[in-house]
Amino acid sequence: MDLNLLIDSNIPLLPSALKDFGGMKIFSGRELTNELIKSNNAKALFVRSTVKINKELLEGTEVEFIATATSGIDHIDLSYLKKNKIDFASALGSNANSVAEWVVYCSLLWADSNNINLSKKLIGIIGYGNVGKLVAKYADWMGLNVWINDPPLFDSGFVFPKQFEYHSLDDILKNCD
């Protein structure tokens, strides 16, 4: 299968994983231009957040698929992709568990280093997205009392799990351990 791939150099392991899928060219983030895409007859792009994916970049190209190795997608014009039937994938949430485990590790290290019983402590979690939900779950399992702050979710009427309390950022900063 020959896909003609353009791959951001900041995704170093991808070229070897995709070597059997067609010709590929490695580019450095901000170097990607409409002309580079056209001159390589690229059908697929693999990018990071330094590349703005929009009409100016893609117009007149043969691109059918774009993937970003990021969790944020504010660099992607999704409506343009949809309108032009270009498939899209992101890494949304892919590292959430690793980040949550790092927070748990740091909490356990802090507690051990200071001879502190975490079950008597209060943790404040700012943001109840992919990472925040996992940190809250793990903190609950460790016996911590969990306070959450996520104004956009709160304002939208989101119902937080009953074992967690919603509090203002000021309350969390003043009261949490």
Side-chain angles (χ1 to χ4, degrees), residues 8 79 114 121 124 156 165 173:
D8 192 316
S79 57
N114 294 288
K121 295 298 175 185
S156 73
E165 292 183 36
L173 295 175

Side-chain angles (χ1 to χ4, degrees), residues 10 17 40-41 47 51 64 85-86 106 111 150 164 166 177:
N10 289 312
N40 284 278
N41 297 317
V47 302
V51 179
E64 300 171 358
K85 298 182 174 115
I86 298 171
C106 290
D150 192 321
F164 308 139
Y166 186 86
D177 300 298

Side-chain angles (χ1 to χ4, degrees), residues 129-148:
N130 290 314
V131 174
K133 285 177 186 157
L134 290 170
V135 171
K137 178 173 77 171
Y138 296 154
D140 186 49
W141 289 351
M142 293 187 307
L144 281 91
N145 295 310
V146 178
W147 284 9
I148 304 289

Side-chain angles (χ1 to χ4, degrees), residues 7-144:
I7 302 173
D8 192 316
S9 61
N10 289 312
I11 314 172
L13 300 178
L14 197 56
S16 62
L18 296 177
K19 68 181 183 286
D20 296 331
F21 288 95
M24 71 176 70
K25 177 170 178 59
I26 310 302
F27 68 91
S28 177
R30 292 183 175 91
E31 288 179 358
L32 187 61
T33 63
N34 180 275
E35 185 54 41
L36 182 63
I37 296 170
K38 287 179 181 176
S39 67
N40 284 278
N41 297 317
K43 302 267 193 283
L45 305 177
F46 295 86
V47 302
R48 301 278 302 172
S49 60
T50 56
V51 179
K52 304 298 179 211
I53 302 295
N54 54 30
K55 178 180 179 178
E56 291 76 29
L57 183 67
L58 299 174
E59 193 166 46
T61 70
E62 298 178 33
V63 173
E64 300 171 358
F65 176 76
I66 296 172
T68 183
T70 60
S71 60
I73 57 171
D74 59 345
H75 61 293
I76 309 285
D77 183 344
L78 294 174
S79 57
Y80 179 83
L81 298 186
K82 185 176 180 179
K83 178 181 170 188
N84 290 279
K85 298 182 174 115
I86 298 171
D87 292 322
F88 173 71
S90 73
L92 182 64
S94 63
N95 67 345
N97 196 58
S98 296
V99 174
E101 287 175 349
W102 180 78
V103 171
V104 168
Y105 168 77
C106 290
S107 300
L108 292 171
L109 182 64
W110 172 75
D112 185 59
S113 298
N114 294 288
N115 198 27
I116 293 171
N117 180 350
L118 286 178
S119 67
K120 304 200 183 307
K121 295 298 175 185
L122 180 60
I123 186 172
I125 299 172
I126 301 166
Y128 196 66
N130 290 314
V131 174
K133 285 177 186 157
L134 290 170
V135 171
K137 178 173 77 171
Y138 296 154
D140 186 49
W141 289 351
M142 293 187 307
L144 281 91

